[in-house]
Amino acid sequence: MSSENSSADDSSTDDGQRVWDVVVVGAGPAGASAAYAAAVAGRRALLLEKAELPRYKTCGGGIIGPSRDSLPPGFELPFRDRVHAVTFSNNGRFSRTRRSRHMLFGLINRPEFDQQLVEHAQKAGADLRTGVTVQRVEQHGSSVPDRRTVAVVLQGGETVLARAVVGADGSASRIGAHVGVKLDQVDLGLEAEIPVPETVAEDWKGRVLIDWGPMPGSYGWVFPKGDTLTVGVISARGEGAATKRYLEEFIGRLGLAGFEPSISSGHLTRCRADDSPLSRGRVLVCGDAAGLLEPWTREGISFALRSGRLAGEWAVRIAEAHDAVDTRRQALNYAFAIKAGLGVEMAVGKSMLTLFERRPGLFHAALTGFRPAWKAFMDITRGATSLGELVRAHPLAQRALTAMDRRPADPSASAAPSDPSGGEVTS
């Protein structure tokens, strides 16, 4: 769908080349959200995507409360399942299931979800081009007609001009490289989409499994999506062989080794360093391109949706800026908005990961046997609170984090009480 929006009288260069208000690179949740925000504001927005849509993405597909709350009005979530129960295990042992009377979160397939987000951006007035690869962006030089313009250079030599650019091109972002994004944590995720018979699918319906893994900071998951189970593991990069072995053993002990995966994939998740830039001139980054995700769980969809919306809103302001001083002011405002919200959550998540790496058994015991911990888990997944809000609002949580940090690590899982029955608790 072509945009009919027009926000200024300088929509083309002297030689007649069109200048977009906002060009967004990457049509995942972050990019689609940015394009939607710019288009809703009445600006000429162009969304560029190198793949043809819909396309597969390695992702568990959990939609927690903050993700749901960040969707465009009228968005119908394509849930494949609704989760009311979580089974926790510690490297296959001490399994226990906790249940909730209310839905904790929903499960989606990324191709459908991403496609719908893009369609909402198009309905708002954004233009879409697929099958185009962005080679680089230039803010100076012969391709740039003036100081208010950014040149987006495509493979093949074509140049697209914009007043502002949003980089949402994933964890291996070329726009992120232009901005100078610095990374503090890189993890390897491996995943298999496993079609299963109806009897197996029924056993998993409405329930997910979270298994605390054998390597520090690692964990595995099973997310049911109708006749397919999404099974994956994640751990620090550099542990490739051990991570692959963990996934194979995980699938084996679940009794799923006899089923052939329809897709096996892997990807790297990247968390930004605290001092990593979020902009350079008229170029902003968001989502995975900015290294924005929760460091402990590596949850990225809600971070992509929220940062994408903010990037789109501030890209509109940058597009309207007439000089470098105003451009810089708006870029700093964007960075402040990101750090005040998502940055706080990331800082707490980083502390949680550090503690989890040292004391996985204590985390398991708390979630399976300590009601306040389970309630916090439910509140976070439903969107009633966040990690940052939880620590800010509860001095007890602050003291617990500090106390846990001072205690020696427990390399074994012995802190968790044995429960061979896989006992269930309803909350």
Side-chain angles (χ1 to χ4, degrees), residues 110-147:
R110 280 289 301 276
E112 299 169 347
F113 179 70
D114 291 11
Q115 178 70 31
Q116 281 189 220
L117 284 171
V118 169
E119 289 171 358
H120 272 261
Q122 289 179 280
K123 289 174 184 176
D127 282 65
L128 170 70
R129 285 185 62 183
T130 58
V132 292
T133 299
V134 172
Q135 295 282 56
R136 64 186 183 279
V137 292
E138 297 179 0
Q139 302 195 62
H140 308 283
S142 58
S143 299
V144 184
D146 58 61
R147 293 181 179 179

PDB file of all heavy atoms in Angstrom, residues 110-147:
ATOM      1  N   ARG A 110       6.418 -16.700  14.518  1.00  0.00           N
ATOM      2  CA  ARG A 110       6.921 -15.409  14.077  1.00  0.00           C
ATOM      3  C   ARG A 110       6.532 -15.031  12.639  1.00  0.00           C
ATOM      4  O   ARG A 110       6.241 -13.854  12.391  1.00  0.00           O
ATOM      5  CB  ARG A 110       8.438 -15.368  14.254  1.00  0.00           C
ATOM      6  CG  ARG A 110       8.885 -15.089  15.691  1.00  0.00           C
ATOM      7  CD  ARG A 110       8.611 -13.649  16.112  1.00  0.00           C
ATOM      8  NE  ARG A 110       9.300 -12.711  15.241  1.00  0.00           N
ATOM      9  CZ  ARG A 110      10.567 -12.334  15.378  1.00  0.00           C
ATOM     10  NH1 ARG A 110      11.290 -12.827  16.354  1.00  0.00           N
ATOM     11  NH2 ARG A 110      11.099 -11.455  14.550  1.00  0.00           N
ATOM     12  N   PRO A 111       6.521 -15.945  11.674  1.00  0.00           N
ATOM     13  CA  PRO A 111       6.143 -15.513  10.324  1.00  0.00           C
ATOM     14  C   PRO A 111       4.775 -14.843  10.274  1.00  0.00           C
ATOM     15  O   PRO A 111       4.607 -13.792   9.649  1.00  0.00           O
ATOM     16  CB  PRO A 111       6.161 -16.817   9.513  1.00  0.00           C
ATOM     17  CG  PRO A 111       7.151 -17.683  10.228  1.00  0.00           C
ATOM     18  CD  PRO A 111       6.962 -17.368  11.684  1.00  0.00           C
ATOM     19  N   GLU A 112       3.793 -15.429  10.968  1.00  0.00           N
ATOM     20  CA  GLU A 112       2.442 -14.848  10.990  1.00  0.00           C
ATOM     21  C   GLU A 112       2.421 -13.528  11.752  1.00  0.00           C
ATOM     22  O   GLU A 112       1.826 -12.546  11.303  1.00  0.00           O
ATOM     23  CB  GLU A 112       1.464 -15.830  11.655  1.00  0.00           C
ATOM     24  CG  GLU A 112       1.327 -17.169  10.959  1.00  0.00           C
ATOM     25  CD  GLU A 112       0.568 -18.171  11.806  1.00  0.00           C
ATOM     26  OE1 GLU A 112       0.352 -17.924  13.011  1.00  0.00           O
ATOM     27  OE2 GLU A 112       0.195 -19.210  11.260  1.00  0.00           O
ATOM     28  N   PHE A 113       3.065 -13.515  12.902  1.00  0.00           N
ATOM     29  CA  PHE A 113       3.072 -12.335  13.757  1.00  0.00           C
ATOM     30  C   PHE A 113       3.735 -11.156  13.059  1.00  0.00           C
ATOM     31  O   PHE A 113       3.180 -10.042  13.002  1.00  0.00           O
ATOM     32  CB  PHE A 113       3.805 -12.675  15.061  1.00  0.00           C
ATOM     33  CG  PHE A 113       3.926 -11.541  16.044  1.00  0.00           C
ATOM     34  CD1 PHE A 113       2.812 -11.066  16.714  1.00  0.00           C
ATOM     35  CD2 PHE A 113       5.166 -10.978  16.319  1.00  0.00           C
ATOM     36  CE1 PHE A 113       2.927 -10.028  17.639  1.00  0.00           C
ATOM     37  CE2 PHE A 113       5.295  -9.950  17.238  1.00  0.00           C
ATOM     38  CZ  PHE A 113       4.170  -9.476  17.902  1.00  0.00           C
ATOM     39  N   ASP A 114       4.917 -11.381  12.505  1.00  0.00           N
ATOM     40  CA  ASP A 114       5.644 -10.305  11.832  1.00  0.00           C
ATOM     41  C   ASP A 114       4.875  -9.784  10.620  1.00  0.00           C
ATOM     42  O   ASP A 114       4.836  -8.576  10.366  1.00  0.00           O
ATOM     43  CB  ASP A 114       7.023 -10.797  11.396  1.00  0.00           C
ATOM     44  CG  ASP A 114       7.959 -11.061  12.582  1.00  0.00           C
ATOM     45  OD1 ASP A 114       7.479 -11.062  13.722  1.00  0.00           O
ATOM     46  OD2 ASP A 114       9.169 -11.252  12.350  1.00  0.00           O
ATOM     47  N   GLN A 115       4.267 -10.715   9.876  1.00  0.00           N
ATOM     48  CA  GLN A 115       3.495 -10.312   8.701  1.00  0.00           C
ATOM     49  C   GLN A 115       2.346  -9.392   9.092  1.00  0.00           C
ATOM     50  O   GLN A 115       2.083  -8.370   8.441  1.00  0.00           O
ATOM     51  CB  GLN A 115       2.955 -11.547   7.982  1.00  0.00           C
ATOM     52  CG  GLN A 115       2.083 -11.262   6.771  1.00  0.00           C
ATOM     53  CD  GLN A 115       2.859 -10.713   5.599  1.00  0.00           C
ATOM     54  OE1 GLN A 115       4.032 -11.043   5.423  1.00  0.00           O
ATOM     55  NE2 GLN A 115       2.226  -9.867   4.800  1.00  0.00           N
ATOM     56  N   GLN A 116       1.651  -9.717  10.169  1.00  0.00           N
ATOM     57  CA  GLN A 116       0.537  -8.876  10.611  1.00  0.00           C
ATOM     58  C   GLN A 116       1.013  -7.491  11.048  1.00  0.00           C
ATOM     59  O   GLN A 116       0.347  -6.482  10.783  1.00  0.00           O
ATOM     60  CB  GLN A 116      -0.218  -9.554  11.761  1.00  0.00           C
ATOM     61  CG  GLN A 116      -1.164 -10.649  11.309  1.00  0.00           C
ATOM     62  CD  GLN A 116      -2.053 -11.157  12.436  1.00  0.00           C
ATOM     63  OE1 GLN A 116      -2.312 -12.346  12.551  1.00  0.00           O
ATOM     64  NE2 GLN A 116      -2.516 -10.277  13.286  1.00  0.00           N
ATOM     65  N   LEU A 117       2.171  -7.438  11.728  1.00  0.00           N
ATOM     66  CA  LEU A 117       2.710  -6.141  12.135  1.00  0.00           C
ATOM     67  C   LEU A 117       3.013  -5.273  10.918  1.00  0.00           C
ATOM     68  O   LEU A 117       2.719  -4.069  10.906  1.00  0.00           O
ATOM     69  CB  LEU A 117       3.974  -6.337  12.969  1.00  0.00           C
ATOM     70  CG  LEU A 117       3.796  -6.802  14.413  1.00  0.00           C
ATOM     71  CD1 LEU A 117       5.143  -7.167  15.017  1.00  0.00           C
ATOM     72  CD2 LEU A 117       3.112  -5.729  15.256  1.00  0.00           C
ATOM     73  N   VAL A 118       3.596  -5.877   9.896  1.00  0.00           N
ATOM     74  CA  VAL A 118       3.905  -5.130   8.675  1.00  0.00           C
ATOM     75  C   VAL A 118       2.614  -4.645   8.011  1.00  0.00           C
ATOM     76  O   VAL A 118       2.533  -3.498   7.542  1.00  0.00           O
ATOM     77  CB  VAL A 118       4.726  -6.008   7.706  1.00  0.00           C
ATOM     78  CG1 VAL A 118       4.821  -5.351   6.332  1.00  0.00           C
ATOM     79  CG2 VAL A 118       6.125  -6.247   8.267  1.00  0.00           C
ATOM     80  N   GLU A 119       1.603  -5.485   7.991  1.00  0.00           N
ATOM     81  CA  GLU A 119       0.327  -5.092   7.381  1.00  0.00           C
ATOM     82  C   GLU A 119      -0.302  -3.916   8.123  1.00  0.00           C
ATOM     83  O   GLU A 119      -0.898  -3.029   7.495  1.00  0.00           O
ATOM     84  CB  GLU A 119      -0.629  -6.285   7.353  1.00  0.00           C
ATOM     85  CG  GLU A 119      -0.211  -7.357   6.336  1.00  0.00           C
ATOM     86  CD  GLU A 119      -1.033  -8.628   6.450  1.00  0.00           C
ATOM     87  OE1 GLU A 119      -1.915  -8.699   7.357  1.00  0.00           O
ATOM     88  OE2 GLU A 119      -0.807  -9.552   5.646  1.00  0.00           O
ATOM     89  N   HIS A 120      -0.171  -3.878   9.428  1.00  0.00           N
ATOM     90  CA  HIS A 120      -0.683  -2.741  10.195  1.00  0.00           C
ATOM     91  C   HIS A 120       0.092  -1.464   9.859  1.00  0.00           C
ATOM     92  O   HIS A 120      -0.502  -0.383   9.771  1.00  0.00           O
ATOM     93  CB  HIS A 120      -0.615  -3.032  11.694  1.00  0.00           C
ATOM     94  CG  HIS A 120      -1.827  -3.736  12.225  1.00  0.00           C
ATOM     95  ND1 HIS A 120      -2.855  -3.091  12.865  1.00  0.00           N
ATOM     96  CD2 HIS A 120      -2.190  -5.037  12.175  1.00  0.00           C
ATOM     97  CE1 HIS A 120      -3.793  -3.958  13.211  1.00  0.00           C
ATOM     98  NE2 HIS A 120      -3.409  -5.158  12.796  1.00  0.00           N
ATOM     99  N   ALA A 121       1.404  -1.584   9.676  1.00  0.00           N
ATOM    100  CA  ALA A 121       2.190  -0.417   9.274  1.00  0.00           C
ATOM    101  C   ALA A 121       1.754   0.074   7.903  1.00  0.00           C
ATOM    102  O   ALA A 121       1.630   1.288   7.666  1.00  0.00           O
ATOM    103  CB  ALA A 121       3.680  -0.770   9.268  1.00  0.00           C
ATOM    104  N   GLN A 122       1.478  -0.855   6.983  1.00  0.00           N
ATOM    105  CA  GLN A 122       1.021  -0.474   5.650  1.00  0.00           C
ATOM    106  C   GLN A 122      -0.356   0.191   5.705  1.00  0.00           C
ATOM    107  O   GLN A 122      -0.598   1.199   5.029  1.00  0.00           O
ATOM    108  CB  GLN A 122       0.967  -1.701   4.740  1.00  0.00           C
ATOM    109  CG  GLN A 122       2.327  -2.245   4.348  1.00  0.00           C
ATOM    110  CD  GLN A 122       2.208  -3.476   3.473  1.00  0.00           C
ATOM    111  OE1 GLN A 122       1.972  -4.574   3.967  1.00  0.00           O
ATOM    112  NE2 GLN A 122       2.378  -3.298   2.169  1.00  0.00           N
ATOM    113  N   LYS A 123      -1.232  -0.355   6.509  1.00  0.00           N
ATOM    114  CA  LYS A 123      -2.563   0.248   6.640  1.00  0.00           C
ATOM    115  C   LYS A 123      -2.492   1.657   7.215  1.00  0.00           C
ATOM    116  O   LYS A 123      -3.331   2.510   6.912  1.00  0.00           O
ATOM    117  CB  LYS A 123      -3.449  -0.641   7.519  1.00  0.00           C
ATOM    118  CG  LYS A 123      -3.864  -1.951   6.864  1.00  0.00           C
ATOM    119  CD  LYS A 123      -4.624  -2.843   7.831  1.00  0.00           C
ATOM    120  CE  LYS A 123      -4.947  -4.189   7.193  1.00  0.00           C
ATOM    121  NZ  LYS A 123      -5.604  -5.127   8.163  1.00  0.00           N
ATOM    122  N   ALA A 124      -1.469   1.889   8.045  1.00  0.00           N
ATOM    123  CA  ALA A 124      -1.286   3.227   8.620  1.00  0.00           C
ATOM    124  C   ALA A 124      -0.710   4.198   7.593  1.00  0.00           C
ATOM    125  O   ALA A 124      -0.717   5.418   7.815  1.00  0.00           O
ATOM    126  CB  ALA A 124      -0.374   3.154   9.841  1.00  0.00           C
ATOM    127  N   GLY A 125      -0.188   3.672   6.471  1.00  0.00           N
ATOM    128  CA  GLY A 125       0.319   4.532   5.409  1.00  0.00           C
ATOM    129  C   GLY A 125       1.755   4.303   5.015  1.00  0.00           C
ATOM    130  O   GLY A 125       2.270   4.982   4.124  1.00  0.00           O
ATOM    131  N   ALA A 126       2.449   3.355   5.658  1.00  0.00           N
ATOM    132  CA  ALA A 126       3.842   3.091   5.317  1.00  0.00           C
ATOM    133  C   ALA A 126       3.938   2.310   4.018  1.00  0.00           C
ATOM    134  O   ALA A 126       3.077   1.489   3.705  1.00  0.00           O
ATOM    135  CB  ALA A 126       4.530   2.319   6.440  1.00  0.00           C
ATOM    136  N   ASP A 127       4.989   2.573   3.258  1.00  0.00           N
ATOM    137  CA  ASP A 127       5.301   1.791   2.066  1.00  0.00           C
ATOM    138  C   ASP A 127       6.256   0.661   2.435  1.00  0.00           C
ATOM    139  O   ASP A 127       7.056   0.799   3.367  1.00  0.00           O
ATOM    140  CB  ASP A 127       5.954   2.667   0.997  1.00  0.00           C
ATOM    141  CG  ASP A 127       4.938   3.519   0.255  1.00  0.00           C
ATOM    142  OD1 ASP A 127       4.331   4.386   0.915  1.00  0.00           O
ATOM    143  OD2 ASP A 127       4.756   3.322  -0.956  1.00  0.00           O
ATOM    144  N   LEU A 128       6.183  -0.437   1.697  1.00  0.00           N
ATOM    145  CA  LEU A 128       7.026  -1.602   1.957  1.00  0.00           C
ATOM    146  C   LEU A 128       7.747  -2.013   0.680  1.00  0.00           C
ATOM    147  O   LEU A 128       7.136  -2.088  -0.386  1.00  0.00           O
ATOM    148  CB  LEU A 128       6.171  -2.775   2.463  1.00  0.00           C
ATOM    149  CG  LEU A 128       6.860  -4.142   2.558  1.00  0.00           C
ATOM    150  CD1 LEU A 128       7.892  -4.149   3.680  1.00  0.00           C
ATOM    151  CD2 LEU A 128       5.818  -5.253   2.772  1.00  0.00           C
ATOM    152  N   ARG A 129       9.046  -2.281   0.817  1.00  0.00           N
ATOM    153  CA  ARG A 129       9.823  -2.890  -0.261  1.00  0.00           C
ATOM    154  C   ARG A 129      10.546  -4.104   0.297  1.00  0.00           C
ATOM    155  O   ARG A 129      11.299  -3.992   1.267  1.00  0.00           O
ATOM    156  CB  ARG A 129      10.844  -1.913  -0.858  1.00  0.00           C
ATOM    157  CG  ARG A 129      10.240  -0.851  -1.758  1.00  0.00           C
ATOM    158  CD  ARG A 129      11.339   0.007  -2.397  1.00  0.00           C
ATOM    159  NE  ARG A 129      12.227  -0.804  -3.263  1.00  0.00           N
ATOM    160  CZ  ARG A 129      13.289  -0.305  -3.884  1.00  0.00           C
ATOM    161  NH1 ARG A 129      13.629   0.983  -3.723  1.00  0.00           N
ATOM    162  NH2 ARG A 129      14.039  -1.077  -4.659  1.00  0.00           N
ATOM    163  N   THR A 130      10.301  -5.276  -0.287  1.00  0.00           N
ATOM    164  CA  THR A 130      10.978  -6.495   0.141  1.00  0.00           C
ATOM    165  C   THR A 130      11.996  -6.911  -0.914  1.00  0.00           C
ATOM    166  O   THR A 130      11.986  -6.420  -2.046  1.00  0.00           O
ATOM    167  CB  THR A 130       9.970  -7.630   0.367  1.00  0.00           C
ATOM    168  OG1 THR A 130       9.245  -7.865  -0.849  1.00  0.00           O
ATOM    169  CG2 THR A 130       8.984  -7.275   1.478  1.00  0.00           C
ATOM    170  N   GLY A 131      12.874  -7.826  -0.522  1.00  0.00           N
ATOM    171  CA  GLY A 131      13.882  -8.312  -1.447  1.00  0.00           C
ATOM    172  C   GLY A 131      14.975  -7.308  -1.739  1.00  0.00           C
ATOM    173  O   GLY A 131      15.631  -7.394  -2.781  1.00  0.00           O
ATOM    174  N   VAL A 132      15.176  -6.340  -0.848  1.00  0.00           N
ATOM    175  CA  VAL A 132      16.224  -5.338  -1.043  1.00  0.00           C
ATOM    176  C   VAL A 132      17.199  -5.406   0.139  1.00  0.00           C
ATOM    177  O   VAL A 132      16.790  -5.474   1.295  1.00  0.00           O
ATOM    178  CB  VAL A 132      15.647  -3.912  -1.176  1.00  0.00           C
ATOM    179  CG1 VAL A 132      14.878  -3.779  -2.471  1.00  0.00           C
ATOM    180  CG2 VAL A 132      14.756  -3.559   0.007  1.00  0.00           C
ATOM    181  N   THR A 133      18.482  -5.398  -0.187  1.00  0.00           N
ATOM    182  CA  THR A 133      19.519  -5.467   0.834  1.00  0.00           C
ATOM    183  C   THR A 133      20.198  -4.114   0.969  1.00  0.00           C
ATOM    184  O   THR A 133      20.652  -3.544  -0.026  1.00  0.00           O
ATOM    185  CB  THR A 133      20.571  -6.529   0.474  1.00  0.00           C
ATOM    186  OG1 THR A 133      19.933  -7.815   0.391  1.00  0.00           O
ATOM    187  CG2 THR A 133      21.681  -6.586   1.516  1.00  0.00           C
ATOM    188  N   VAL A 134      20.239  -3.611   2.192  1.00  0.00           N
ATOM    189  CA  VAL A 134      20.915  -2.341   2.467  1.00  0.00           C
ATOM    190  C   VAL A 134      22.399  -2.615   2.680  1.00  0.00           C
ATOM    191  O   VAL A 134      22.776  -3.415   3.542  1.00  0.00           O
ATOM    192  CB  VAL A 134      20.299  -1.645   3.694  1.00  0.00           C
ATOM    193  CG1 VAL A 134      21.129  -0.423   4.080  1.00  0.00           C
ATOM    194  CG2 VAL A 134      18.857  -1.242   3.409  1.00  0.00           C
ATOM    195  N   GLN A 135      23.231  -1.941   1.884  1.00  0.00           N
ATOM    196  CA  GLN A 135      24.674  -2.102   2.009  1.00  0.00           C
ATOM    197  C   GLN A 135      25.259  -1.185   3.077  1.00  0.00           C
ATOM    198  O   GLN A 135      26.123  -1.584   3.850  1.00  0.00           O
ATOM    199  CB  GLN A 135      25.355  -1.793   0.666  1.00  0.00           C
ATOM    200  CG  GLN A 135      24.995  -2.770  -0.448  1.00  0.00           C
ATOM    201  CD  GLN A 135      25.766  -4.090  -0.326  1.00  0.00           C
ATOM    202  OE1 GLN A 135      25.711  -4.764   0.699  1.00  0.00           O
ATOM    203  NE2 GLN A 135      26.466  -4.464  -1.361  1.00  0.00           N
ATOM    204  N   ARG A 136      24.761   0.055   3.117  1.00  0.00           N
ATOM    205  CA  ARG A 136      25.321   1.022   4.076  1.00  0.00           C
ATOM    206  C   ARG A 136      24.445   2.272   4.093  1.00  0.00           C
ATOM    207  O   ARG A 136      23.564   2.434   3.252  1.00  0.00           O
ATOM    208  CB  ARG A 136      26.749   1.410   3.691  1.00  0.00           C
ATOM    209  CG  ARG A 136      26.863   2.138   2.365  1.00  0.00           C
ATOM    210  CD  ARG A 136      28.309   2.373   1.963  1.00  0.00           C
ATOM    211  NE  ARG A 136      28.424   3.150   0.719  1.00  0.00           N
ATOM    212  CZ  ARG A 136      28.309   2.628  -0.489  1.00  0.00           C
ATOM    213  NH1 ARG A 136      28.073   1.332  -0.644  1.00  0.00           N
ATOM    214  NH2 ARG A 136      28.437   3.406  -1.550  1.00  0.00           N
ATOM    215  N   VAL A 137      24.684   3.120   5.062  1.00  0.00           N
ATOM    216  CA  VAL A 137      24.069   4.444   5.079  1.00  0.00           C
ATOM    217  C   VAL A 137      25.184   5.487   5.050  1.00  0.00           C
ATOM    218  O   VAL A 137      26.276   5.260   5.588  1.00  0.00           O
ATOM    219  CB  VAL A 137      23.161   4.659   6.317  1.00  0.00           C
ATOM    220  CG1 VAL A 137      21.938   3.771   6.248  1.00  0.00           C
ATOM    221  CG2 VAL A 137      23.928   4.404   7.605  1.00  0.00           C
ATOM    222  N   GLU A 138      24.909   6.612   4.423  1.00  0.00           N
ATOM    223  CA  GLU A 138      25.882   7.698   4.332  1.00  0.00           C
ATOM    224  C   GLU A 138      25.228   8.999   4.771  1.00  0.00           C
ATOM    225  O   GLU A 138      24.111   9.308   4.349  1.00  0.00           O
ATOM    226  CB  GLU A 138      26.392   7.833   2.889  1.00  0.00           C
ATOM    227  CG  GLU A 138      27.145   6.617   2.380  1.00  0.00           C
ATOM    228  CD  GLU A 138      27.613   6.789   0.940  1.00  0.00           C
ATOM    229  OE1 GLU A 138      27.343   7.860   0.344  1.00  0.00           O
ATOM    230  OE2 GLU A 138      28.240   5.846   0.405  1.00  0.00           O
ATOM    231  N   GLN A 139      25.919   9.738   5.632  1.00  0.00           N
ATOM    232  CA  GLN A 139      25.412  11.034   6.085  1.00  0.00           C
ATOM    233  C   GLN A 139      26.252  12.192   5.559  1.00  0.00           C
ATOM    234  O   GLN A 139      25.951  13.353   5.827  1.00  0.00           O
ATOM    235  CB  GLN A 139      25.343  11.066   7.611  1.00  0.00           C
ATOM    236  CG  GLN A 139      24.460   9.951   8.175  1.00  0.00           C
ATOM    237  CD  GLN A 139      24.089  10.155   9.621  1.00  0.00           C
ATOM    238  OE1 GLN A 139      23.421  11.134   9.970  1.00  0.00           O
ATOM    239  NE2 GLN A 139      24.497   9.234  10.489  1.00  0.00           N
ATOM    240  N   HIS A 140      27.306  11.850   4.800  1.00  0.00           N
ATOM    241  CA  HIS A 140      28.148  12.853   4.166  1.00  0.00           C
ATOM    242  C   HIS A 140      28.589  12.288   2.819  1.00  0.00           C
ATOM    243  O   HIS A 140      28.551  11.080   2.601  1.00  0.00           O
ATOM    244  CB  HIS A 140      29.383  13.178   5.025  1.00  0.00           C
ATOM    245  CG  HIS A 140      29.062  13.538   6.438  1.00  0.00           C
ATOM    246  ND1 HIS A 140      28.569  14.770   6.807  1.00  0.00           N
ATOM    247  CD2 HIS A 140      29.140  12.808   7.585  1.00  0.00           C
ATOM    248  CE1 HIS A 140      28.373  14.794   8.114  1.00  0.00           C
ATOM    249  NE2 HIS A 140      28.712  13.608   8.615  1.00  0.00           N
ATOM    250  N   GLY A 141      28.997  13.139   1.923  1.00  0.00           N
ATOM    251  CA  GLY A 141      29.526  12.674   0.660  1.00  0.00           C
ATOM    252  C   GLY A 141      28.655  13.028  -0.525  1.00  0.00           C
ATOM    253  O   GLY A 141      27.602  13.674  -0.391  1.00  0.00           O
ATOM    254  N   SER A 142      29.049  12.534  -1.672  1.00  0.00           N
ATOM    255  CA  SER A 142      28.386  12.918  -2.923  1.00  0.00           C
ATOM    256  C   SER A 142      26.960  12.396  -3.034  1.00  0.00           C
ATOM    257  O   SER A 142      26.145  12.956  -3.770  1.00  0.00           O
ATOM    258  CB  SER A 142      29.208  12.415  -4.114  1.00  0.00           C
ATOM    259  OG  SER A 142      29.363  10.995  -4.046  1.00  0.00           O
ATOM    260  N   SER A 143      26.636  11.310  -2.328  1.00  0.00           N
ATOM    261  CA  SER A 143      25.272  10.752  -2.400  1.00  0.00           C
ATOM    262  C   SER A 143      24.274  11.542  -1.570  1.00  0.00           C
ATOM    263  O   SER A 143      23.066  11.350  -1.697  1.00  0.00           O
ATOM    264  CB  SER A 143      25.269   9.296  -1.926  1.00  0.00           C
ATOM    265  OG  SER A 143      26.093   8.489  -2.733  1.00  0.00           O
ATOM    266  N   VAL A 144      24.781  12.421  -0.706  1.00  0.00           N
ATOM    267  CA  VAL A 144      23.926  13.149   0.231  1.00  0.00           C
ATOM    268  C   VAL A 144      23.765  14.591  -0.254  1.00  0.00           C
ATOM    269  O   VAL A 144      24.734  15.356  -0.260  1.00  0.00           O
ATOM    270  CB  VAL A 144      24.526  13.123   1.653  1.00  0.00           C
ATOM    271  CG1 VAL A 144      23.593  13.802   2.636  1.00  0.00           C
ATOM    272  CG2 VAL A 144      24.811  11.687   2.089  1.00  0.00           C
ATOM    273  N   PRO A 145      22.558  14.996  -0.655  1.00  0.00           N
ATOM    274  CA  PRO A 145      22.372  16.330  -1.241  1.00  0.00           C
ATOM    275  C   PRO A 145      22.496  17.482  -0.258  1.00  0.00           C
ATOM    276  O   PRO A 145      22.843  18.595  -0.639  1.00  0.00           O
ATOM    277  CB  PRO A 145      20.958  16.258  -1.838  1.00  0.00           C
ATOM    278  CG  PRO A 145      20.273  15.186  -1.068  1.00  0.00           C
ATOM    279  CD  PRO A 145      21.321  14.181  -0.719  1.00  0.00           C
ATOM    280  N   ASP A 146      22.190  17.238   1.045  1.00  0.00           N
ATOM    281  CA  ASP A 146      22.286  18.318   2.029  1.00  0.00           C
ATOM    282  C   ASP A 146      22.431  17.717   3.417  1.00  0.00           C
ATOM    283  O   ASP A 146      22.361  16.503   3.598  1.00  0.00           O
ATOM    284  CB  ASP A 146      21.057  19.239   1.947  1.00  0.00           C
ATOM    285  CG  ASP A 146      19.751  18.484   2.164  1.00  0.00           C
ATOM    286  OD1 ASP A 146      19.573  17.894   3.245  1.00  0.00           O
ATOM    287  OD2 ASP A 146      18.903  18.461   1.243  1.00  0.00           O
ATOM    288  N   ARG A 147      22.633  18.588   4.411  1.00  0.00           N
ATOM    289  CA  ARG A 147      22.893  18.119   5.768  1.00  0.00           C
ATOM    290  C   ARG A 147      21.662  17.541   6.463  1.00  0.00           C
ATOM    291  O   ARG A 147      21.791  16.958   7.540  1.00  0.00           O
ATOM    292  CB  ARG A 147      23.464  19.265   6.602  1.00  0.00           C
ATOM    293  CG  ARG A 147      24.851  19.716   6.140  1.00  0.00           C
ATOM    294  CD  ARG A 147      25.386  20.834   7.016  1.00  0.00           C
ATOM    295  NE  ARG A 147      26.717  21.252   6.591  1.00  0.00           N
ATOM    296  CZ  ARG A 147      27.418  22.223   7.163  1.00  0.00           C
ATOM    297  NH1 ARG A 147      26.886  22.873   8.205  1.00  0.00           N
ATOM    298  NH2 ARG A 147      28.619  22.542   6.719  1.00  0.00           N
TER     299      ARG A 147
END
